[in-house]
Every structure is written in structure tokens, then in C-alpha cells.
């Protein structure tokens, strides 16, 4: 062994004596399952792939075994189905390889080549991807975590099964598209018996909000739609169906301060001029786009977009601390499309790391052609908040039990915008069915009954046509009727029991509504 030779001077180049290949160990798959993806962020990452594949329609389907064939009521899996370009065998291999995609197209939402695998395996122990293109038959690959951790073995899915699954969803896929299937979803396997409905409602509400916010620019387009369904895995009956509506974090009706929004230009070293579109929200707004997307302290600040996809919803990126009087300040920033050393997207696309160059740019940011600085904007947003707090007496509306399954998403959003919601309460749901009535009662005399303990309104399916006309009924149909009943019955559902005077009111409402429904049916017949 040669004697130790201390460095007499610093060497700027480290000398080497050769090289060798060190491929990743199969256990590196284990790290994919611990990336810290939230459920909603993981599903959003899958939909990013659908958008990159030019999908027009995406359906997120919770697969439910209701237990009618034996066993317990449970969730057995999740599918994300799209009608994008699809993949052939070779492209599937690349998509299922960790870091497999070397280069993304300009404007793509994909970034690191790990999202599909990391997002999926963070929540499911088995990931299957099945796809077809216009020119290639259906093909599939499957990762099972236990096997992948041993030797990186990826299964080739049987071609007949691939085609059968594509055929099952031909109403979405058509000639091309992709199905991502999660099995052994860890959260599903921990649902307490009898709590499936509650879990689903909470999970879908959170997913609706997350997708509506982070993909809101895409959802405003006429040619892109996301639906969330709950599907009976045996019969394919839709147990719930909700269309995702955009939640624009700048979607106020009128600004909170005259002259806004304003566009500032921040000279950022290494990037150039960065546009900052500064908004001042109206004080004490009840809109979901303001109050319904998380703690207000976390929603002030920068809203950073990459290729129209929101990747950070609020926060000051260490340029200042969040403060209560800055709750009305929100700034939209579209990140430069070219790679740079100032803005770095996190792997989960849930935030952006910035260098001090951004803070220095903010200090110099002004409205083009004026001397109005970004610092003055921050001061004016704070002043607007303080002035409103001094002069305005807020009219408080009575808190309501939230609307649940069976209510159209647009209607549900409006109800939440206009009415404060009681937290941690089981929602009021609506369903059409044959009414179970006491002996001697004609079901035709009732438009609805209530199941008080279950917080369910059961509508008489014999009158469904009166509220849908020639339109095909769906789980979220008859929004006018349901909104009327929701507002009238909410107080009754908040009580521990139904009192005699409330029973009389329900009878009165039934009598009037049945007469109205029969009149509408008579008009239809003539």
C-alpha cells in the first residue's frame, strides 16, 4: 500500500482509475412506494399522462363489490380510463420502465418518467396498464410490488384479457385509449365494515376538489372532461357519477380592489422577465374557489403553472411569510417552458423550489410603463383586507348538512358557495326507487320519503319522467327538484328525530309536488 500523500493544493478535478456499471437494485422499487404521494395527487399524475396522450375524456372509476354475491361490501380497485392516443407494446415497455421516457414533447405535463409508477405504487400493490392504438391491438403490462422488488420482473398481460377489458369500456376508449388499473389498494383494504359509503363520499369530494383546482385550465375547455364514477364490479351499474368542474383560484365575480388584476414584470436573472398576474380577492368571499380549497393561510401567494397545469396552489416560496392580512393576495405565474436553474418542479408536482434570483426579481418587479411596484401590490392587498375587517358586518347564513350523492356537481358547488357547511356530517343523498309505504297508503300520493337516520331522500321513480322530460335520467338528474328538497329538508335532518309538525309539513310538500308532477305528465301526454 503506497504511503498516504496529503494534498498540497486543492484539486479541482477528481482523478479516476476506471469505471464500472452499477445498475439499480430491485429494492429500489420499494422507494417508489414511499414517495409521499397523496391519493388525489397520485390520480392527478395519472390524468397528466392522459392529457399528454391527447385524451378528450377521462373516467376515474372506483370498483365496488356491494356484497350481493356473498362477502362484504368493499372497494376492490380503481381504474383510470381515457380515450387518448394509446400505446403499443414497445411504448408500453418504455412507460412501465422507471425513468423510461428520455425526452418529453414540448408542452408535456410529464417530467421525470417516474410518475405513473411512483404515483400508483404509492397506493396499490399491483399496477396494470392496458392500452391500444389505432394501428395496434390491445396490450398490457403489470407490476406487482412483491415481485418487482425481487428482480424487476414485469408481467405481460394476456392479450385476450386486454381485449376484453378494452371492450368493457368501449364507450370511452373507442379505437384507442388506455386503462390504468390499481389492485390491492392499501387504503381500500383498511375501510371499516359499514363505512364504505362514508369513505367514498369523502374520497370523491377530495378528489373532485383537487382535480378541479389543479387541472382547472384544462377543464374549462370544451373538448376535455373528467368524470368520477362508482361502478358495481359485477353488474357495471353506476352507483354514483360526478362530473369534475373547474375550480378557478382567480374565479371571483368582481375584484376586491379597483385596478386589479395587474401584470408585473419581474427581471429574474437566468430566466429573463417573468410575468406576475396579481389579483386581490374580494374580502370574505363565500366561493369554494376561495374558501373551499384548504386553509386560507396556505392559499395566499403564488399560483405556479407549468404548461397550463397548476403545480403550486399558494405559498410565498420563502420570499415572505404568510400573514392573515395577505389572505386576499394571489398571484398567477406561468413558469418558463425552457429548462432553467431558477425554478425546480418537485417530483410529485406539488410545489416549486426557487433560487434567490426569484426574490431579487420580485424586488424589481413593476407594471410595464409605470412605477407601480410589486411591493406596493402586497401593501394594497393587505390594506384591502384590513379596511374590510373594520367596516363590514358579515351576514351569517345558517350552516347546512352538505349535499351528497345524487346531486349534480354544479348544483353542489353553488350550494357550498352560498351556504356554510357543517363539518364532519354525513351528507344528504338522493335516490330514485319504488317507495316502501305503510299498509293502506298509495305510493302514488307520495313524491318522496325520507330515511332520517341514513340521511337519504328517496324519490318516487314513477314521477321521474315529470322532472326529466324526454332526457335520459341519471344519478344526478332533476337538479331543480333536488335543490328544492335539500333546502326544505335540511333542518329536519339536523334534528335527532322527526316531530309531528315536521311530518305534517312533509305531507303538505308531498301533496303539492305530486299535483305538480301529475300536471307536468299530463302536459307531456298531450
Amino acid at each position: 500500500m503506497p504511503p498516504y500523500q496529503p494534498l498540497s493544493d486543492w484539486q479541482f478535478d477528481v482523478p479516476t482509475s476506471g469505471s464500472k456499471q452499477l445498475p439499480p437494485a430491485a429494492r429500489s422499487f420499494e422507494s417508489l412506494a414511499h414517495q409521499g404521494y397523496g391519493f388525489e395527487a397520485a390520480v392527478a399524475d395519472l390524468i397528466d399522462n392522459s392529457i399528454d396522450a391527447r385524451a378528450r375524456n377521462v373516467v376515474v372509476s372506483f370498483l365496488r363489490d356491494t356484497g350481493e354475491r356473498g362477502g362484504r361490501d368493499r372497494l376492490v380497485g380503481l381504474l383510470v380510463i381515457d380515450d387518448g392516443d394509446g400505446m403499443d407494446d414497445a411504448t408500453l415497455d418504455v412507460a412501465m420502465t422507471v425513468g423510461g421516457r428520455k425526452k418529453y414533447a414540448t408542452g408535456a405535463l410529464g417530467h421525470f418518467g417516474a410518475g405513473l409508477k411512483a404515483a400508483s405504487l404509492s397506493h396499490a400493490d399491483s399496477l396494470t396498464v392496458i392500452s391500444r392504438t389505432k394501428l395496434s391491438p390491445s396490450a398490457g403490462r403489470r407490476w406487482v410490488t412483491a415481485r418487482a422488488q425481487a428482480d424487476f420482473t414485469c408481467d405481460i398481460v394476456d392479450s385476450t384479457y386486454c381485449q376484453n377489458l378494452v371492450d368493457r369500456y368501449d364507450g370511452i376508449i373507442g379505437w384507442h385509449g388506455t386503462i390504468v388499473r390499481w389492485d390491492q389498494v392499501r387504503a381500500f383494504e383498511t375501510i371499516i365494515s359499514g363505512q364504505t359509503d362514508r369513505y367514498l363520499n369523502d374520497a370523491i369530494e377530495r378528489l373532485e376538489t383537487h382535480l378541479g383546482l389543479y387541472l382547472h385550465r384544462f377543464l374549462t375547455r370544451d373538448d376535455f372532461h373528467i368524470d368520477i364514477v362508482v361502478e358495481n364490479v359485477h353488474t357495471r351499474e353506476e352507483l354514483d357519477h360526478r362530473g369534475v368542474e373547474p375550480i378557478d383560484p382567480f374565479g371571483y365575480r368582481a375584484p376586491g380592489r379597483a385596478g386589479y388584476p395587474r401584470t408585473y414584470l419581474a427581471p429574474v436573472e437566468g430566466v429573463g422577465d417573468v410575468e406576475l398576474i396579481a389579483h386581490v380577492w374580494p374580502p370574505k368571499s363565500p366561493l369554494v374557489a376561495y374558501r373551499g380549497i384548504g386553509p386560507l393561510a396556505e392559499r395566499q401567494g403564488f399560483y405556479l403553472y407549468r404548461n397550463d397545469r397548476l403545480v403550486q396552489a399558494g405559498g410565498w416560496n420563502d420570499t415572505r411569510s404568510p400573514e392573515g392580512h395577505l389572505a386576499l393576495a394571489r398571484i398567477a405565474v406561468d413558469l418558463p417552458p425552457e429548462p432553467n436553474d431558477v425554478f425546480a418542479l418537485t417530483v410529485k408536482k406539488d410545489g416549486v423550489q426557487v433560487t434567490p434570483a426569484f426574490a431579487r426579481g420580485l424586488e424589481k418587479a413593476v407594471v410595464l410603463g409605470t412605477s407601480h411596484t410589486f411591493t406596493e401590490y402586497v401593501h394594497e392587498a393587505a390594506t384591502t383586507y384590513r379596511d374590510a375587517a373594520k367596516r363590514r358586518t358579515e351576514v351569517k347564513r345558517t350552516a347546512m348538512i352538505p349535499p351528497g350523492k345524487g346531486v349534480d356537481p354544479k348544483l353542489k358547488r353553488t350550494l357550498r358557495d352560498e351556504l356554510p357547511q357543517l363539518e364532519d356530517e354525513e351528507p344528504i343523498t338522493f335516490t330514485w326507487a319504488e317507495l316502501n309505504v305503510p299498509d293502506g297508503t298509495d305510493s302514488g300520493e307520495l313524491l318522496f320519503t325520507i330515511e332520517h337516520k341514513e340521511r337519504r331522500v328517496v324519490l318516487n321513480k314513477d314521477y321521474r319522467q315529470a322532472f326529466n322530460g324526454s332526457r335520459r335520467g341519471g344519478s344526478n338528474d332533476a337538479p331543480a327538484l333536488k335543490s328544492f328538497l335539500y333546502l326544505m329538508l335540511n333542518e329536519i335532518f339536523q334534528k335527532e328525530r322527526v316531530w309531528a309538525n315536521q311530518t305534517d309539513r312533509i305531507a303538505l310538500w308531498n301533496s303539492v309536488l305530486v299535483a305538480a308532477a301529475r300536471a307536468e305528465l299530463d302536459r307531456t301526454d298531450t
Side-chain angles (χ1 to χ4, degrees), residues 145-193:
T145 304
R147 294 183 60 212
Q149 289 175 353
D151 57 7
F152 266 119
T153 297
C154 182
D155 297 321
I156 300 171
V157 182
D158 177 77
S159 59
T160 301
Y161 174 81
C162 292
Q163 187 58 51
N164 287 341
L165 192 63
V166 167
D167 288 344
R168 180 181 174 108
Y169 296 102
D170 63 353
I172 305 166
I173 289 180
W175 289 103
H176 46 80
T178 298
I179 302 170
V180 178
R181 170 175 170 166
W182 288 2
D183 289 294
Q184 301 170 55
V185 181
R186 291 184 283 279
F188 294 177
E189 295 177 357
T190 62
I191 299 173
I192 299 171
S193 178

Side-chain angles (χ1 to χ4, degrees), residues 85-258:
D85 293 335
M87 295 176 280
D88 58 17
D89 269 297
T91 312
L92 264 175
D93 285 341
V94 174
M96 292 293 270
T97 300
V98 178
R101 181 170 291 182
K102 306 293 185 186
K103 185 177 180 181
Y104 284 91
T106 302
L109 303 184
H111 194 56
F112 296 103
L116 168 65
K117 286 74 64 177
S120 299
L121 297 175
S122 291
H123 293 276
D125 288 331
S126 175
L127 162 65
T128 304
V129 179
I130 291 169
S131 193
R132 68 169 293 177
T133 72
K134 281 186 177 180
L135 302 176
S136 64
S138 303
R141 300 290 184 269
R142 181 183 70 166
W143 281 118
V144 177
T145 304
R147 294 183 60 212
Q149 289 175 353
D151 57 7
F152 266 119
T153 297
C154 182
D155 297 321
I156 300 171
V157 182
D158 177 77
S159 59
T160 301
Y161 174 81
C162 292
Q163 187 58 51
N164 287 341
L165 192 63
V166 167
D167 288 344
R168 180 181 174 108
Y169 296 102
D170 63 353
I172 305 166
I173 289 180
W175 289 103
H176 46 80
T178 298
I179 302 170
V180 178
R181 170 175 170 166
W182 288 2
D183 289 294
Q184 301 170 55
V185 181
R186 291 184 283 279
F188 294 177
E189 295 177 357
T190 62
I191 299 173
I192 299 171
S193 178
Q195 294 294 309
T196 304
D197 276 328
R198 181 164 191 168
Y199 173 88
L200 271 172
N201 188 70
D202 291 344
I204 293 174
E205 293 285 350
R206 292 193 302 270
L207 184 58
E208 261 189 296
T209 300
H210 186 93
L211 298 178
L213 175 63
Y214 283 84
L215 299 176
H216 74 90
R217 288 187 177 178
F218 296 94
L219 288 164
T220 58
R221 301 174 183 176
D222 292 336
D223 62 349
F224 183 72
H225 308 278
I226 301 174
D227 291 277
I228 302 173
V229 304
V230 180
E231 175 185 343
N232 184 316
V233 73
H234 298 300
T235 66
R236 294 200 59 198
E237 176 191 2
E238 281 190 359
L239 306 174
D240 196 0
H241 188 145
R242 311 186 196 184
V244 178
E245 296 294 323
I247 301 176
D248 184 354
F250 306 99
Y252 45 76
R253 294 165 185 147
R257 191 178 185 94

